[in-house]
Amino acid sequence: MMKSEELDRQLLELFTQEVRERAADIERMLIGIEEATEPSDKRALQERLLRTVHSLKGAAGLVQVRGVETICHWMEEVLATAGNEDRSLNPRQLDQLLKAADAIAEAARQLARGEKPATEQLESDVLDMETTLPPADDDMDRQAAPSVSRAELAVPIRSTDLDGSMRVSAERLDALLHRSGELLSWNVAMRRHAEQASLLRETARRLRAHKARPEREAASIESGLRALTASMRRDARLMHGALVALGQEVRHARTQPFAEACQGLTRVIRDVAAATGKAARLEVRGGDIEIDRSILAGLQDSLRHLVRNAIAHGIEPAAERRAAGKPEQGLVTVSATVTGDRVQVVVEDDGRGLDPAALHKLVGDTESHGPNGEGQLLQHVFKPGISTAPRVTKLSGRGIGLDIVRSAVEGMRGTATVARPAEAGTAFTLTLPLTLATVRALEVVASGHVFTIDSSSVERVIRLASHEIAVEEERAVATTRDGKLPVIDLAGWLGLRPTAAISAKASVPAVIIGTGGRQAALLVDEVAGEQELLARSLGARLRNVRRYCGGMILPDGQIALLLNTTVLIEAAVERTATPDAFPQPADRTTRRKVLVVDDSKYIRSLVRLILDGAGYEVAMAASGSEALAHLSDHGADIVVADVDMPNMDGFELTEAIRGSERLSAVPIVLFTGRETPEDRLHGLKLGASAYVTKSHFDAQHFLETVRRVG
C-alpha cells in the first residue's frame, strides 16, 4: 500500500503541473477579455475563466496550498459578481486580476523548485487587491478596445487523457530519442559488417580460383558468406526503416505548435506599451507549425526580448506615427516558416527602424562600405554594450538584451541577424534547427583532431592552391568563384599549430561556410565525410566557450566538438593574418605532461584540446583513484583535476598527492564548478597550486595558470 507521504508527494507534483498550465490559461483569457469588442464574447470568456479558477481553487484546497486557494477564491468572487450582474469586467478589474494571475504563476515556479508558496504573502496580496479594487463602472465597461477577430479569442483548453492525449515526461522522451540515436550508430556498424562479409566472400572466390583450398570447401564458404551477406543487408534495410519511423514518431511526440512559444507576448506588448505611452498589437503567423519543444523553450525568452525591444526602440508614439501617416497603433509581427531542416522565426515591427548613422558612431565601424556594408554594420547591435537608446531606462539602454538573444540562439546551433525592411521598421531573423537531438554534420580534421560543422552552414567543399590565398589589408583572403572570401585556418585559430604551416602546402581542402548572409573559407587538413550524428550539450559550465555549439557522438563512440560557424566567420573577418597573432606550440621534444582528471568526457576532451594545442602532452583519468594509479605507474609534470568526482574527489586526490613522498612536488590545478571562497580556501589549504572556476572559464587565462604553476 502506498504510504501517505508518497501519496502527498505525488499529489503535489500533479498540482504543480496543474497550476502552471492553469496560470497560463488564466492570463490568456484575461487578455482575450480585454481585447474582445463584443460584450457577448467578453462574458463567454469570463464564464470560462470562472470555471478555470474554480477548478484550480479545488485542486489547491486538496493539496492544502492555501495561498493559491485564497487568490482563486478572490478571483472567483470578482468574476461571479460580474456574471450575476451580467456585465463585463472593467480595465481596473482586469489589471488586478492580471496581478493575481502573476501571483499564481510565481507560486507555480516556487512549487517547481520544491518550495512551498508563502501563504501569508499571497493572502496579503489578495488583501491589497481587495482594498484597491474599485466598484464596477459601467462607463469604463463601454470603453472601446482594439479590434480583434472571434478566432483570436479562442483559448486552448488543457488536454486530458480523455481526448486521446497523454502526458509523457520530457526525460523519458529524451531517453527514447537517445536510444534511437544509438541504434542509428549500430545500423552503420551492421552495414560495415555486411561489407566485411562481402569481402570475405570475394576472398573465398579467389581461393577457389587459385586452387589454394579444396574446391568443395571453398564453394561452401562462398555460399555461406553469400547467404550471410544477403541476410545482413536485408536486416540492415529493415532496421533502417524501423529506426527512421521510430525517430519520426519520437520527434513528432516532442513537437509543439509554434504558438506555444508566443504565449505571453500579448501581455508583454500590453504592459510595455502602457509603460511607454504607446499603442501596439501583436500578430502571430505560422502558429500551427510543429517545432521541437526544446527549441520552443529556448525561444521564449528571446521572443520576449525582441518584442519588448520592438516597443521600446521601434514603435513610435501615437503623435509621431500620425505625422508619418501611419496608424496610431503599431504592429509587431512574429512569424515562423520551415525550409528543409531549419525553422526561420522573424520578429518585425513597423516602427522607425534602426539608424545606421547613429550605429556607425557607436561602433566606429569600418565595414559599412561596399555592397554588404550596411548589413554587416547592423549586426553590431547584437554585441554587448551597444544600444541605440538615447538614455538608460527600466526597459532599455544597457545593450544587454540582444546579446542575450544571440547567445541563446547560438546555444541552439542557430543564427540571429537583423535587417531594415524596404517598407519600414526592423526585422530580426532567428534561424534554428528543427531539432536539437541530431545534426547532419560534416566531419573535418585539423592537426589530427576531428571536428564537425552543421551541414546547413556548409555551401561546398573545394581545394585552394597556395597562390589563391593572399594577404590584403592585413587579412587573409581567398579567390573563389564567389569572389574574394575571408580565410581562417582552423588548426591555427584553435592554436593546434602555427598558421604559417599552411603556406608550405601546394593546396589545402577548404570548406566554404555561410550564415547570416556572410561567407568564409575554412582551411582544414582533411574532410572526413558527412552523416547524421547524435548531439550532446557541452553543459552549463562551458556555456561561455562560444566557439563550440556542442559535442557530436561519432559512430566509434568518440566525441567531436561542433564548431560555431557564426564565430568562425566573425574570426575570419576580424582576424589579422600575421603569424605572430597565433599561439606558437611548445617544442615537441621537451613537452611537459599534464594529467587531466574529470568525470565528464566532454570536459576532458575540451581541456585536452586546449592543452595539446599549447604543446603539452596530455593524459586523462575519469576519477581520483584512476589518476593516482596513473601517477604511480607513469607520473606527470602537472595535474589538472575537477573537485566533484566519484570514488575519490579532487580534494581527496590533492591530499593524497601531497601525502606521497614521490608525488608531493607535482603542481595541482583544481579546475572546478565550485565557486565559494570557502571551497577555494579549502583546496589551497590542502596544497592545490591554483584554483580555476569553470563558470568563468577563459582558455588563455587557463593556459597562463598552467604555465605559471608548472
Side-chain angles (χ1 to χ4, degrees):
M1 181 178 293
M2 186 180 294
K3 294 182 179 180
S4 59
E5 295 84 358
E6 178 66 14
L7 179 61
D8 290 344
R9 185 188 63 79
Q10 292 189 6
L11 284 174
L12 192 60
E13 288 177 355
L14 289 172
F15 177 72
T16 300
Q17 177 69 20
E18 173 89 5
V19 72
R20 185 187 294 117
E21 293 178 354
R22 296 293 191 187
D25 287 346
I26 289 169
E27 182 178 288
R28 283 198 299 269
M29 283 187 269
L30 286 168
I31 295 295
I33 292 168
E34 184 177 60
E35 293 183 342
T37 55
E38 296 296 329
S40 59
D41 291 333
K42 287 179 179 288
R43 294 187 184 105
L45 279 173
Q46 287 174 194
E47 290 174 7
R48 186 186 297 178
L49 179 57
L50 177 60
R51 290 193 296 271
T52 299
V53 171
H54 179 76
S55 297
L56 184 57
K57 184 182 77 169
L62 179 65
V63 294
Q64 299 182 16
V65 182
R66 299 305 181 195
V68 173
E69 184 182 23
T70 301
I71 286 184
C72 289
H73 179 73
W74 176 80
M75 296 177 74
E76 191 178 25
E77 288 291 322
V78 174
L79 291 162
T81 301
N84 292 336
E85 296 175 1
D86 196 27
R87 61 174 175 80
S88 304
L89 297 169
N90 63 47
R92 290 185 184 178
Q93 289 175 316
L94 286 169
D95 284 339
Q96 295 294 69
L97 288 169
L98 280 168
K99 289 180 182 178
D102 290 340
I104 293 173
E106 176 57 30
R109 287 189 285 272
Q110 290 175 343
L111 288 166
R113 295 194 298 265
E115 304 169 6
K116 200 71 177 282
T119 301
E120 296 80 5
Q121 180 60 47
L122 291 172
E123 290 178 347
S124 174
D125 292 342
V126 169
L127 183 61
D128 291 342
M129 287 184 283
E130 285 178 341
T131 56
T132 57
L133 186 62
D137 185 344
D138 292 339
D139 292 335
M140 296 179 74
D141 291 347
R142 289 192 292 270
Q143 286 183 354
S147 175
V148 62
S149 68
R150 186 175 296 267
E152 290 174 323
L153 296 174
V155 178
I157 299 174
R158 184 176 65 92
S159 297
T160 70
D161 53 6
L162 299 178
D163 64 358
S165 64
M166 62 180 293
R167 286 199 186 104
V168 180
S169 70
E171 291 78 12
R172 180 167 294 178
L173 284 175
D174 288 340
L176 185 58
L177 187 63
H178 176 63
R179 296 305 176 196
S180 70
E182 288 180 332
L183 288 173
L184 281 171
S185 299
W186 297 338
N187 184 42
V188 172
M190 194 170 182
R191 289 201 302 269
R192 191 180 298 121
H193 293 327
E195 293 301 324
Q196 290 172 346
S198 180
L199 290 174
L200 287 172
R201 182 169 64 87
E202 181 63 22
T203 301
R205 189 192 63 77
R206 289 198 302 270
L207 286 174
R208 187 177 61 178
H210 289 83
K211 307 296 183 181
R213 293 286 187 275
E215 184 175 348
R216 180 176 299 176
E217 181 179 351
S220 176
I221 292 173
E222 184 179 0
S223 175
L225 288 174
R226 185 186 300 114
L228 174 63
T229 301
S231 64
M232 291 183 72
R233 283 178 172 160
R234 182 189 66 248
D235 291 345
R237 285 194 300 271
L238 294 173
M239 180 182 289
H240 179 72
L243 286 170
V244 170
L246 174 62
Q248 289 175 344
E249 289 295 334
V250 174
R251 288 185 180 88
H252 183 68
R254 286 169 52 96
T255 62
Q256 290 176 295
F258 172 67
E260 294 288 327
C262 300
Q263 289 184 15
L265 294 184
T266 302
R267 175 76 182 277
V268 171
I269 288 181
R270 174 191 185 275
D271 292 348
V272 177
T276 55
K278 300 175 182 178
R281 64 185 178 89
L282 175 72
E283 185 175 313
V284 177
R285 301 172 184 169
D288 57 345
I289 291 175
E290 296 283 335
I291 301 173
D292 189 294
R293 61 167 184 84
S294 300
I295 296 290
L296 289 183
L299 264 179
Q300 285 184 317
D301 281 344
S302 296
L303 291 178
R304 291 190 185 105
H305 277 295
L306 292 175
V307 167
R308 189 181 297 112
N309 193 75
I311 305 297
H313 290 271
I315 301 297
E316 313 94 328
E320 186 177 332
R321 291 181 66 85
R322 281 197 305 271
K326 297 180 180 179
E328 291 187 10
Q329 189 180 49
L331 174 64
V332 179
T333 304
V334 180
S335 59
T337 55
V338 174
T339 304
D341 61 349
R342 313 290 283 184
V343 59
Q344 193 171 77
V345 177
V346 179
V347 179
E348 185 174 354
D349 65 73
D350 65 348
R352 61 172 64 93
L354 290 169
D355 183 355
L359 189 59
H360 189 281
K361 289 180 182 178
L362 284 171
V363 301
D365 188 76
T366 59
E367 299 172 8
S368 56
H369 305 290
N372 298 320
E374 181 177 301
Q376 293 178 3
L377 175 65
L378 294 180
Q379 308 316 309
H380 284 284
V381 299
F382 291 106
K383 293 186 175 180
I386 299 297
S387 176
T388 56
R391 63 184 182 278
V392 176
T393 68
K394 290 182 179 179
L395 293 174
S396 60
R398 299 190 185 276
I400 298 174
L402 293 181
D403 177 46
I404 293 173
V405 170
R406 182 188 66 174
S407 299
V409 171
E410 289 182 356
M412 295 185 288
R413 307 195 308 270
T415 60
T417 59
V418 61
R420 292 200 304 160
E423 303 80 15
T426 308
F428 287 90
T429 301
L430 313 180
T431 305
L432 297 148
L434 284 175
T435 178
L436 295 180
T438 58
V439 180
R440 186 74 183 173
L442 182 72
E443 297 173 34
V444 298
V445 180
S447 194
H449 297 278
V450 179
F451 298 91
T452 56
I453 306 170
D454 193 326
S455 295
S456 64
S457 301
V458 176
E459 298 188 355
R460 65 185 186 281
V461 177
I462 61 174
R463 292 194 70 87
L464 286 174
S466 57
H467 65 76
E468 293 176 314
I469 304 174
V471 176
E472 297 180 2
E473 298 180 355
E474 297 186 345
R475 284 176 173 79
V477 295
T479 303
T480 71
R481 71 185 190 193
D482 295 329
K484 291 184 177 180
L485 298 179
V487 171
I488 185 166
D489 172 43
L490 180 58
W493 180 59
L494 295 173
L496 301 177
R497 68 165 177 238
T499 304
I502 66 172
S503 61
K505 300 180 180 179
S507 66
V508 291
V511 181
I512 306 301
I513 54 176
T515 182
R518 298 187 294 175
Q519 293 176 299
L522 179 67
L523 305 184
V524 298
D525 296 339
E526 180 186 346
V527 177
E530 181 187 27
Q531 60 182 313
E532 191 89 6
L533 296 173
L534 197 63
R536 282 290 176 265
S537 169
L538 291 177
R541 292 175 175 179
L542 300 176
R543 64 162 57 97
N544 294 329
V545 185
R546 190 171 165 242
R547 62 178 58 181
Y548 305 118
C549 296
M552 300 292 102
I553 302 179
L554 300 177
D556 60 1
Q558 295 295 311
I559 303 296
L561 293 170
L562 180 67
L563 296 166
N564 186 334
T565 51
T566 300
V567 177
L568 279 169
I569 293 174
E570 289 175 359
V573 171
E574 298 171 2
R575 192 176 179 87
T576 56
T578 56
D580 293 340
F582 299 97
Q584 299 292 324
D587 184 358
R588 295 285 172 170
T589 62
T590 59
R591 294 201 306 169
R592 293 177 65 74
K593 180 179 177 180
V594 180
L595 175 62
V596 177
V597 193
D598 200 302
D599 60 329
S600 168
K601 182 164 53 175
Y602 299 103
I603 295 176
R604 290 200 305 270
S605 299
L606 181 65
V607 175
R608 177 177 185 171
L609 182 66
I610 294 170
L611 291 170
D612 189 75
Y616 291 96
E617 179 185 347
V618 182
M620 298 192 293
S623 67
S625 54
E626 185 181 332
L628 269 184
H630 182 93
L631 288 170
S632 176
D633 295 339
H634 307 289
D637 297 307
I638 305 167
V639 173
V640 175
D642 188 17
V643 170
D644 297 303
M645 296 183 293
N647 302 326
M648 175 185 284
D649 65 23
F651 289 149
E652 294 169 334
L653 174 63
T654 301
E655 199 169 13
I657 292 174
R658 291 293 175 252
S660 167
E661 183 177 349
R662 186 168 67 87
L663 302 172
S664 60
V666 175
I668 303 170
V669 177
L670 289 178
F671 176 54
T672 176
R674 296 195 185 187
E675 301 182 31
T676 65
E678 293 79 11
D679 285 324
R680 178 188 294 270
L681 182 61
H682 182 55
L684 295 176
K685 279 184 176 179
L686 289 174
S689 309
Y691 196 96
V692 179
T693 57
K694 295 179 180 179
S695 60
H696 299 93
F697 177 70
D698 177 83
Q700 192 60 41
H701 176 263
F702 171 68
L703 286 174
E704 289 172 1
T705 301
V706 173
R707 292 189 185 107
R708 175 170 53 81
V709 302

